[in-house]
mmCIF file of all heavy atoms in Angstrom:
data_model
loop_
_atom_site.group_PDB
_atom_site.id
_atom_site.type_symbol
_atom_site.label_atom_id
_atom_site.label_comp_id
_atom_site.label_asym_id
_atom_site.label_seq_id
_atom_site.Cartn_x
_atom_site.Cartn_y
_atom_site.Cartn_z
ATOM 1 N N THR A 219 6.450 59.207 -8.329
ATOM 2 C CA THR A 219 7.607 59.459 -9.192
ATOM 3 C C THR A 219 7.167 59.611 -10.640
ATOM 4 O O THR A 219 7.627 60.508 -11.358
ATOM 5 C CB THR A 219 8.637 58.313 -9.072
ATOM 6 O OG1 THR A 219 8.970 58.137 -7.699
ATOM 7 C CG2 THR A 219 9.879 58.589 -9.855
ATOM 8 N N PHE A 220 6.234 58.740 -11.040
ATOM 9 C CA PHE A 220 5.718 58.814 -12.410
ATOM 10 C C PHE A 220 5.021 60.162 -12.648
ATOM 11 O O PHE A 220 5.214 60.809 -13.678
ATOM 12 C CB PHE A 220 4.754 57.641 -12.655
ATOM 13 C CG PHE A 220 4.062 57.710 -13.973
ATOM 14 C CD1 PHE A 220 4.741 57.431 -15.154
ATOM 15 C CD2 PHE A 220 2.711 58.059 -14.055
ATOM 16 C CE1 PHE A 220 4.092 57.490 -16.363
ATOM 17 C CE2 PHE A 220 2.068 58.119 -15.261
ATOM 18 C CZ PHE A 220 2.754 57.834 -16.428
ATOM 19 N N GLN A 221 4.179 60.581 -11.665
ATOM 20 C CA GLN A 221 3.478 61.858 -11.810
ATOM 21 C C GLN A 221 4.463 63.032 -11.833
ATOM 22 O O GLN A 221 4.288 63.982 -12.595
ATOM 23 C CB GLN A 221 2.468 62.043 -10.654
ATOM 24 C CG GLN A 221 1.214 61.231 -10.784
ATOM 25 C CD GLN A 221 0.412 61.614 -12.031
ATOM 26 O OE1 GLN A 221 0.454 62.746 -12.491
ATOM 27 N NE2 GLN A 221 -0.295 60.652 -12.597
ATOM 28 N N GLU A 222 5.493 62.969 -10.989
ATOM 29 C CA GLU A 222 6.500 64.037 -10.977
ATOM 30 C C GLU A 222 7.216 64.122 -12.318
ATOM 31 O O GLU A 222 7.424 65.213 -12.854
ATOM 32 C CB GLU A 222 7.500 63.815 -9.839
ATOM 33 C CG GLU A 222 6.929 64.096 -8.469
ATOM 34 C CD GLU A 222 7.910 63.753 -7.350
ATOM 35 O OE1 GLU A 222 9.030 63.252 -7.645
ATOM 36 O OE2 GLU A 222 7.565 63.983 -6.184
ATOM 37 N N ARG A 223 7.597 62.974 -12.835
ATOM 38 C CA ARG A 223 8.268 62.975 -14.138
ATOM 39 C C ARG A 223 7.318 63.451 -15.227
ATOM 40 O O ARG A 223 7.699 64.211 -16.114
ATOM 41 C CB ARG A 223 8.801 61.583 -14.460
ATOM 42 C CG ARG A 223 10.038 61.248 -13.657
ATOM 43 C CD ARG A 223 10.797 60.038 -14.106
ATOM 44 N NE ARG A 223 11.136 59.890 -15.478
ATOM 45 C CZ ARG A 223 12.199 60.413 -16.094
ATOM 46 N NH1 ARG A 223 13.006 61.183 -15.406
ATOM 47 N NH2 ARG A 223 12.442 60.161 -17.339
ATOM 48 N N ARG A 224 6.063 62.994 -15.112
ATOM 49 C CA ARG A 224 5.085 63.424 -16.105
ATOM 50 C C ARG A 224 4.873 64.939 -16.013
ATOM 51 O O ARG A 224 4.835 65.630 -17.027
ATOM 52 C CB ARG A 224 3.767 62.681 -15.868
ATOM 53 C CG ARG A 224 2.722 62.999 -16.890
ATOM 54 C CD ARG A 224 1.494 62.163 -16.651
ATOM 55 N NE ARG A 224 0.476 62.469 -17.628
ATOM 56 C CZ ARG A 224 -0.696 61.933 -17.664
ATOM 57 N NH1 ARG A 224 -1.032 61.027 -16.752
ATOM 58 N NH2 ARG A 224 -1.558 62.261 -18.575
ATOM 59 N N ASN A 225 4.709 65.451 -14.792
ATOM 60 C CA ASN A 225 4.559 66.895 -14.606
ATOM 61 C C ASN A 225 5.790 67.655 -15.087
ATOM 62 O O ASN A 225 5.668 68.741 -15.669
ATOM 63 C CB ASN A 225 4.270 67.221 -13.138
ATOM 64 C CG ASN A 225 2.893 66.759 -12.702
ATOM 65 O OD1 ASN A 225 2.020 66.540 -13.531
ATOM 66 N ND2 ASN A 225 2.698 66.585 -11.401
ATOM 67 N N ALA A 226 6.958 67.089 -14.791
ATOM 68 C CA ALA A 226 8.190 67.742 -15.233
ATOM 69 C C ALA A 226 8.248 67.791 -16.755
ATOM 70 O O ALA A 226 8.600 68.810 -17.352
ATOM 71 C CB ALA A 226 9.410 67.011 -14.673
ATOM 72 N N ILE A 227 7.886 66.685 -17.381
ATOM 73 C CA ILE A 227 7.906 66.637 -18.848
ATOM 74 C C ILE A 227 6.845 67.577 -19.409
ATOM 75 O O ILE A 227 7.112 68.372 -20.320
ATOM 76 C CB ILE A 227 7.708 65.196 -19.347
ATOM 77 C CG1 ILE A 227 8.939 64.349 -19.011
ATOM 78 C CG2 ILE A 227 7.438 65.180 -20.833
ATOM 79 C CD1 ILE A 227 8.764 62.866 -19.252
ATOM 80 N N GLU A 228 5.612 67.498 -18.856
ATOM 81 C CA GLU A 228 4.547 68.381 -19.334
ATOM 82 C C GLU A 228 4.894 69.843 -19.049
ATOM 83 O O GLU A 228 4.644 70.720 -19.876
ATOM 84 C CB GLU A 228 3.212 68.011 -18.687
ATOM 85 C CG GLU A 228 2.622 66.735 -19.236
ATOM 86 C CD GLU A 228 1.330 66.330 -18.539
ATOM 87 O OE1 GLU A 228 0.928 67.033 -17.564
ATOM 88 O OE2 GLU A 228 0.727 65.333 -18.963
ATOM 89 N N GLY A 229 5.459 70.113 -17.857
ATOM 90 C CA GLY A 229 5.886 71.474 -17.522
ATOM 91 C C GLY A 229 6.978 71.952 -18.469
ATOM 92 O O GLY A 229 6.979 73.102 -18.905
ATOM 93 N N GLY A 230 7.914 71.044 -18.781
ATOM 94 C CA GLY A 230 8.968 71.400 -19.730
ATOM 95 C C GLY A 230 8.395 71.707 -21.106
ATOM 96 O O GLY A 230 8.796 72.658 -21.773
ATOM 97 N N ILE A 231 7.413 70.898 -21.497
ATOM 98 C CA ILE A 231 6.763 71.136 -22.791
ATOM 99 C C ILE A 231 6.012 72.464 -22.756
ATOM 100 O O ILE A 231 6.090 73.261 -23.694
ATOM 101 C CB ILE A 231 5.824 69.962 -23.151
ATOM 102 C CG1 ILE A 231 6.653 68.705 -23.460
ATOM 103 C CG2 ILE A 231 4.933 70.321 -24.324
ATOM 104 C CD1 ILE A 231 5.810 67.447 -23.633
ATOM 105 N N GLU A 232 5.284 72.689 -21.644
ATOM 106 C CA GLU A 232 4.551 73.947 -21.519
ATOM 107 C C GLU A 232 5.507 75.137 -21.501
ATOM 108 O O GLU A 232 5.259 76.158 -22.137
ATOM 109 C CB GLU A 232 3.689 73.940 -20.256
ATOM 110 C CG GLU A 232 2.492 73.018 -20.347
ATOM 111 C CD GLU A 232 1.728 72.922 -19.038
ATOM 112 O OE1 GLU A 232 2.124 73.607 -18.052
ATOM 113 O OE2 GLU A 232 0.751 72.166 -18.982
ATOM 114 N N ARG A 233 6.617 74.975 -20.741
ATOM 115 C CA ARG A 233 7.610 76.059 -20.714
ATOM 116 C C ARG A 233 8.217 76.259 -22.088
ATOM 117 O O ARG A 233 8.438 77.403 -22.526
ATOM 118 C CB ARG A 233 8.697 75.756 -19.682
ATOM 119 C CG ARG A 233 8.275 76.003 -18.263
ATOM 120 C CD ARG A 233 9.460 75.949 -17.307
ATOM 121 N NE ARG A 233 10.213 74.699 -17.373
ATOM 122 C CZ ARG A 233 9.952 73.602 -16.688
ATOM 123 N NH1 ARG A 233 8.937 73.593 -15.847
ATOM 124 N NH2 ARG A 233 10.699 72.530 -16.809
ATOM 125 N N ALA A 234 8.483 75.175 -22.780
ATOM 126 C CA ALA A 234 9.037 75.291 -24.136
ATOM 127 C C ALA A 234 8.031 75.961 -25.065
ATOM 128 O O ALA A 234 8.390 76.830 -25.875
ATOM 129 C CB ALA A 234 9.416 73.915 -24.669
ATOM 130 N N GLU A 235 6.730 75.566 -24.929
ATOM 131 C CA GLU A 235 5.697 76.196 -25.759
ATOM 132 C C GLU A 235 5.554 77.669 -25.403
ATOM 133 O O GLU A 235 5.401 78.524 -26.276
ATOM 134 C CB GLU A 235 4.359 75.468 -25.592
ATOM 135 C CG GLU A 235 4.325 74.105 -26.257
ATOM 136 C CD GLU A 235 3.038 73.331 -25.950
ATOM 137 O OE1 GLU A 235 2.248 73.805 -25.091
ATOM 138 O OE2 GLU A 235 2.840 72.283 -26.565
ATOM 139 N N ALA A 236 5.610 77.972 -24.077
ATOM 140 C CA ALA A 236 5.513 79.369 -23.649
ATOM 141 C C ALA A 236 6.710 80.165 -24.154
ATOM 142 O O ALA A 236 6.571 81.295 -24.636
ATOM 143 C CB ALA A 236 5.418 79.456 -22.125
ATOM 144 N N ALA A 237 7.898 79.556 -24.045
ATOM 145 C CA ALA A 237 9.103 80.233 -24.540
ATOM 146 C C ALA A 237 9.020 80.429 -26.042
ATOM 147 O O ALA A 237 9.411 81.481 -26.573
ATOM 148 C CB ALA A 237 10.342 79.422 -24.163
ATOM 149 N N GLN A 238 8.502 79.415 -26.725
ATOM 150 C CA GLN A 238 8.352 79.531 -28.182
ATOM 151 C C GLN A 238 7.333 80.617 -28.523
ATOM 152 O O GLN A 238 7.555 81.412 -29.432
ATOM 153 C CB GLN A 238 7.919 78.183 -28.770
ATOM 154 C CG GLN A 238 7.853 78.183 -30.278
ATOM 155 C CD GLN A 238 7.498 76.807 -30.836
ATOM 156 O OE1 GLN A 238 7.185 75.890 -30.078
ATOM 157 N NE2 GLN A 238 7.540 76.693 -32.137
ATOM 158 N N ALA A 239 6.204 80.651 -27.784
ATOM 159 C CA ALA A 239 5.194 81.698 -28.022
ATOM 160 C C ALA A 239 5.780 83.072 -27.711
ATOM 161 O O ALA A 239 5.552 84.040 -28.444
ATOM 162 C CB ALA A 239 3.957 81.432 -27.177
ATOM 163 N N GLU A 240 6.551 83.149 -26.615
ATOM 164 C CA GLU A 240 7.190 84.413 -26.254
ATOM 165 C C GLU A 240 8.202 84.831 -27.309
ATOM 166 O O GLU A 240 8.260 86.009 -27.695
ATOM 167 C CB GLU A 240 7.869 84.260 -24.888
ATOM 168 C CG GLU A 240 8.420 85.542 -24.317
ATOM 169 C CD GLU A 240 9.027 85.327 -22.936
ATOM 170 O OE1 GLU A 240 8.497 84.508 -22.167
ATOM 171 O OE2 GLU A 240 10.038 85.990 -22.649
ATOM 172 N N ALA A 241 8.967 83.891 -27.800
ATOM 173 C CA ALA A 241 9.931 84.193 -28.857
ATOM 174 C C ALA A 241 9.210 84.629 -30.130
ATOM 175 O O ALA A 241 9.640 85.563 -30.811
ATOM 176 C CB ALA A 241 10.808 82.974 -29.135
ATOM 177 N N LYS A 242 8.105 83.968 -30.419
ATOM 178 C CA LYS A 242 7.325 84.340 -31.607
ATOM 179 C C LYS A 242 6.753 85.737 -31.444
ATOM 180 O O LYS A 242 6.781 86.540 -32.377
ATOM 181 C CB LYS A 242 6.205 83.313 -31.827
ATOM 182 C CG LYS A 242 5.516 83.432 -33.153
ATOM 183 C CD LYS A 242 4.541 82.282 -33.359
ATOM 184 C CE LYS A 242 3.918 82.337 -34.731
ATOM 185 N NZ LYS A 242 3.011 81.222 -34.976
ATOM 186 N N ALA A 243 6.230 86.032 -30.231
ATOM 187 C CA ALA A 243 5.703 87.372 -29.969
ATOM 188 C C ALA A 243 6.812 88.415 -30.066
ATOM 189 O O ALA A 243 6.611 89.504 -30.630
ATOM 190 C CB ALA A 243 5.043 87.420 -28.594
ATOM 191 N N ALA A 244 7.986 88.086 -29.513
ATOM 192 C CA ALA A 244 9.114 89.010 -29.600
ATOM 193 C C ALA A 244 9.532 89.216 -31.049
ATOM 194 O O ALA A 244 9.861 90.341 -31.460
ATOM 195 C CB ALA A 244 10.293 88.487 -28.775
ATOM 196 N N LEU A 245 9.503 88.136 -31.842
ATOM 197 C CA LEU A 245 9.835 88.248 -33.267
ATOM 198 C C LEU A 245 8.824 89.127 -33.989
ATOM 199 O O LEU A 245 9.204 89.990 -34.791
ATOM 200 C CB LEU A 245 9.891 86.858 -33.900
ATOM 201 C CG LEU A 245 10.219 86.808 -35.391
ATOM 202 C CD1 LEU A 245 11.604 87.361 -35.660
ATOM 203 C CD2 LEU A 245 10.096 85.382 -35.924
ATOM 204 N N GLU A 246 7.536 88.924 -33.685
ATOM 205 C CA GLU A 246 6.495 89.755 -34.310
ATOM 206 C C GLU A 246 6.657 91.216 -33.895
ATOM 207 O O GLU A 246 6.518 92.120 -34.709
ATOM 208 C CB GLU A 246 5.099 89.239 -33.935
ATOM 209 C CG GLU A 246 4.734 87.923 -34.569
ATOM 210 C CD GLU A 246 4.726 87.976 -36.086
ATOM 211 O OE1 GLU A 246 4.267 88.989 -36.653
ATOM 212 O OE2 GLU A 246 5.207 87.015 -36.708
ATOM 213 N N GLN A 247 6.951 91.425 -32.608
ATOM 214 C CA GLN A 247 7.163 92.786 -32.119
ATOM 215 C C GLN A 247 8.383 93.407 -32.807
ATOM 216 O O GLN A 247 8.354 94.565 -33.205
ATOM 217 C CB GLN A 247 7.351 92.775 -30.607
ATOM 218 C CG GLN A 247 7.514 94.150 -30.002
ATOM 219 C CD GLN A 247 7.690 94.088 -28.492
ATOM 220 O OE1 GLN A 247 7.772 93.006 -27.914
ATOM 221 N NE2 GLN A 247 7.747 95.229 -27.858
ATOM 222 N N TYR A 248 9.445 92.630 -32.949
ATOM 223 C CA TYR A 248 10.651 93.113 -33.631
ATOM 224 C C TYR A 248 10.329 93.462 -35.078
ATOM 225 O O TYR A 248 10.737 94.507 -35.584
ATOM 226 C CB TYR A 248 11.739 92.038 -33.561
ATOM 227 C CG TYR A 248 12.908 92.322 -34.453
ATOM 228 C CD1 TYR A 248 13.836 93.301 -34.145
ATOM 229 C CD2 TYR A 248 13.090 91.604 -35.638
ATOM 230 C CE1 TYR A 248 14.904 93.563 -34.967
ATOM 231 C CE2 TYR A 248 14.149 91.858 -36.476
ATOM 232 C CZ TYR A 248 15.062 92.839 -36.136
ATOM 233 O OH TYR A 248 16.112 93.104 -36.962
ATOM 234 N N ARG A 249 9.560 92.589 -35.742
ATOM 235 C CA ARG A 249 9.196 92.870 -37.132
ATOM 236 C C ARG A 249 8.330 94.122 -37.226
ATOM 237 O O ARG A 249 8.488 94.925 -38.140
ATOM 238 C CB ARG A 249 8.465 91.663 -37.733
ATOM 239 C CG ARG A 249 9.383 90.514 -38.042
ATOM 240 C CD ARG A 249 8.655 89.355 -38.660
ATOM 241 N NE ARG A 249 9.571 88.260 -38.981
ATOM 242 C CZ ARG A 249 9.201 87.039 -39.245
ATOM 243 N NH1 ARG A 249 7.909 86.731 -39.254
ATOM 244 N NH2 ARG A 249 10.094 86.105 -39.525
ATOM 245 N N ALA A 250 7.396 94.272 -36.268
ATOM 246 C CA ALA A 250 6.537 95.462 -36.268
ATOM 247 C C ALA A 250 7.376 96.720 -36.038
ATOM 248 O O ALA A 250 7.193 97.737 -36.711
ATOM 249 C CB ALA A 250 5.453 95.337 -35.209
ATOM 250 N N GLN A 251 8.320 96.652 -35.095
ATOM 251 C CA GLN A 251 9.195 97.793 -34.833
ATOM 252 C C GLN A 251 10.066 98.090 -36.042
ATOM 253 O O GLN A 251 10.297 99.257 -36.368
ATOM 254 C CB GLN A 251 10.066 97.525 -33.602
ATOM 255 C CG GLN A 251 9.318 97.585 -32.297
ATOM 256 C CD GLN A 251 10.190 97.208 -31.107
ATOM 257 O OE1 GLN A 251 11.307 96.692 -31.264
ATOM 258 N NE2 GLN A 251 9.687 97.453 -29.907
ATOM 259 N N LEU A 252 10.545 97.033 -36.689
ATOM 260 C CA LEU A 252 11.367 97.220 -37.879
ATOM 261 C C LEU A 252 10.549 97.873 -38.991
ATOM 262 O O LEU A 252 11.013 98.815 -39.647
ATOM 263 C CB LEU A 252 11.926 95.869 -38.347
ATOM 264 C CG LEU A 252 12.876 95.905 -39.536
ATOM 265 C CD1 LEU A 252 14.114 96.727 -39.211
ATOM 266 C CD2 LEU A 252 13.277 94.485 -39.931
ATOM 267 N N ALA A 253 9.314 97.412 -39.185
ATOM 268 C CA ALA A 253 8.442 98.015 -40.205
ATOM 269 C C ALA A 253 8.133 99.464 -39.846
ATOM 270 O O ALA A 253 8.148 100.345 -40.712
ATOM 271 C CB ALA A 253 7.150 97.211 -40.341
ATOM 272 N N GLU A 254 7.877 99.709 -38.561
ATOM 273 C CA GLU A 254 7.597 101.071 -38.111
ATOM 274 C C GLU A 254 8.826 101.961 -38.315
ATOM 275 O O GLU A 254 8.707 103.097 -38.768
ATOM 276 C CB GLU A 254 7.195 101.054 -36.640
ATOM 277 C CG GLU A 254 6.824 102.406 -36.072
ATOM 278 C CD GLU A 254 6.424 102.306 -34.609
ATOM 279 O OE1 GLU A 254 5.940 101.246 -34.190
ATOM 280 O OE2 GLU A 254 6.599 103.295 -33.893
ATOM 281 N N ALA A 255 10.011 101.422 -38.005
ATOM 282 C CA ALA A 255 11.242 102.188 -38.196
ATOM 283 C C ALA A 255 11.462 102.478 -39.680
ATOM 284 O O ALA A 255 11.868 103.585 -40.045
ATOM 285 C CB ALA A 255 12.431 101.422 -37.620
ATOM 286 N N ARG A 256 11.178 101.489 -40.521
ATOM 287 C CA ARG A 256 11.324 101.724 -41.965
ATOM 288 C C ARG A 256 10.343 102.778 -42.445
ATOM 289 O O ARG A 256 10.690 103.650 -43.235
ATOM 290 C CB ARG A 256 11.112 100.414 -42.723
ATOM 291 C CG ARG A 256 12.279 99.477 -42.624
ATOM 292 C CD ARG A 256 12.051 98.209 -43.405
ATOM 293 N NE ARG A 256 13.200 97.326 -43.310
ATOM 294 C CZ ARG A 256 13.171 96.044 -43.532
ATOM 295 N NH1 ARG A 256 12.033 95.468 -43.887
ATOM 296 N NH2 ARG A 256 14.264 95.312 -43.429
ATOM 297 N N THR A 257 9.100 102.696 -41.953
ATOM 298 C CA THR A 257 8.086 103.691 -42.332
ATOM 299 C C THR A 257 8.505 105.078 -41.853
ATOM 300 O O THR A 257 8.416 106.053 -42.597
ATOM 301 C CB THR A 257 6.725 103.311 -41.725
ATOM 302 O OG1 THR A 257 6.389 101.992 -42.153
ATOM 303 C CG2 THR A 257 5.644 104.279 -42.148
ATOM 304 N N GLU A 258 8.978 105.136 -40.622
ATOM 305 C CA GLU A 258 9.413 106.423 -40.071
ATOM 306 C C GLU A 258 10.612 106.961 -40.843
ATOM 307 O O GLU A 258 10.683 108.155 -41.135
ATOM 308 C CB GLU A 258 9.761 106.251 -38.592
ATOM 309 C CG GLU A 258 10.041 107.544 -37.871
ATOM 310 C CD GLU A 258 10.264 107.333 -36.383
ATOM 311 O OE1 GLU A 258 9.705 106.370 -35.827
ATOM 312 O OE2 GLU A 258 10.986 108.134 -35.783
ATOM 313 N N ALA A 259 11.535 106.075 -41.200
ATOM 314 C CA ALA A 259 12.691 106.509 -41.989
ATOM 315 C C ALA A 259 12.245 107.021 -43.356
ATOM 316 O O ALA A 259 12.757 108.037 -43.842
ATOM 317 C CB ALA A 259 13.677 105.347 -42.149
ATOM 318 N N ALA A 260 11.275 106.350 -43.959
ATOM 319 C CA ALA A 260 10.761 106.808 -45.254
ATOM 320 C C ALA A 260 10.078 108.159 -45.101
ATOM 321 O O ALA A 260 10.251 109.045 -45.956
ATOM 322 C CB ALA A 260 9.789 105.776 -45.828
ATOM 323 N N GLN A 261 9.325 108.337 -44.018
ATOM 324 C CA GLN A 261 8.671 109.625 -43.784
ATOM 325 C C GLN A 261 9.699 110.715 -43.559
ATOM 326 O O GLN A 261 9.562 111.823 -44.083
ATOM 327 C CB GLN A 261 7.735 109.533 -42.576
ATOM 328 C CG GLN A 261 6.486 108.709 -42.824
ATOM 329 C CD GLN A 261 5.666 108.504 -41.565
ATOM 330 O OE1 GLN A 261 6.122 108.789 -40.457
ATOM 331 N NE2 GLN A 261 4.449 107.989 -41.725
ATOM 332 N N ILE A 262 10.737 110.413 -42.780
ATOM 333 C CA ILE A 262 11.800 111.397 -42.539
ATOM 334 C C ILE A 262 12.494 111.738 -43.846
ATOM 335 O O ILE A 262 12.773 112.907 -44.140
ATOM 336 C CB ILE A 262 12.796 110.865 -41.484
ATOM 337 C CG1 ILE A 262 12.129 110.830 -40.104
ATOM 338 C CG2 ILE A 262 14.067 111.705 -41.447
ATOM 339 C CD1 ILE A 262 12.944 110.122 -39.037
ATOM 340 N N ARG A 263 12.760 110.715 -44.666
ATOM 341 C CA ARG A 263 13.418 110.949 -45.953
ATOM 342 C C ARG A 263 12.534 111.810 -46.854
ATOM 343 O O ARG A 263 13.014 112.758 -47.484
ATOM 344 C CB ARG A 263 13.734 109.608 -46.601
ATOM 345 C CG ARG A 263 14.539 109.713 -47.875
ATOM 346 C CD ARG A 263 14.925 108.340 -48.442
ATOM 347 N NE ARG A 263 13.776 107.486 -48.638
ATOM 348 C CZ ARG A 263 13.569 106.332 -48.025
ATOM 349 N NH1 ARG A 263 14.439 105.884 -47.152
ATOM 350 N NH2 ARG A 263 12.492 105.611 -48.260
ATOM 351 N N ASP A 264 11.223 111.496 -46.881
ATOM 352 C CA ASP A 264 10.301 112.283 -47.701
ATOM 353 C C ASP A 264 10.199 113.716 -47.186
ATOM 354 O O ASP A 264 10.159 114.667 -47.976
ATOM 355 C CB ASP A 264 8.920 111.623 -47.731
ATOM 356 C CG ASP A 264 8.922 110.310 -48.495
ATOM 357 O OD1 ASP A 264 9.878 110.071 -49.276
ATOM 358 O OD2 ASP A 264 7.968 109.513 -48.315
ATOM 359 N N ALA A 265 10.142 113.856 -45.857
ATOM 360 C CA ALA A 265 10.070 115.198 -45.272
ATOM 361 C C ALA A 265 11.335 115.992 -45.583
ATOM 362 O O ALA A 265 11.272 117.181 -45.911
ATOM 363 C CB ALA A 265 9.860 115.105 -43.758
#
Side-chain angles (χ1 to χ4, degrees):
T219 306
F220 174 74
Q221 284 298 331
E222 287 175 358
R223 285 193 49 84
R224 183 176 180 181
N225 291 340
I227 291 170
E228 286 177 357
I231 291 172
E232 288 174 1
R233 283 191 304 273
E235 288 174 352
Q238 185 177 7
E240 187 178 324
K242 192 173 184 178
L245 180 63
E246 290 299 320
Q247 183 180 5
Y248 169 74
R249 286 181 179 164
Q251 287 176 348
L252 184 61
E254 182 179 332
R256 285 181 179 159
T257 304
E258 188 175 331
Q261 289 173 348
I262 290 171
R263 186 176 55 242
D264 291 342

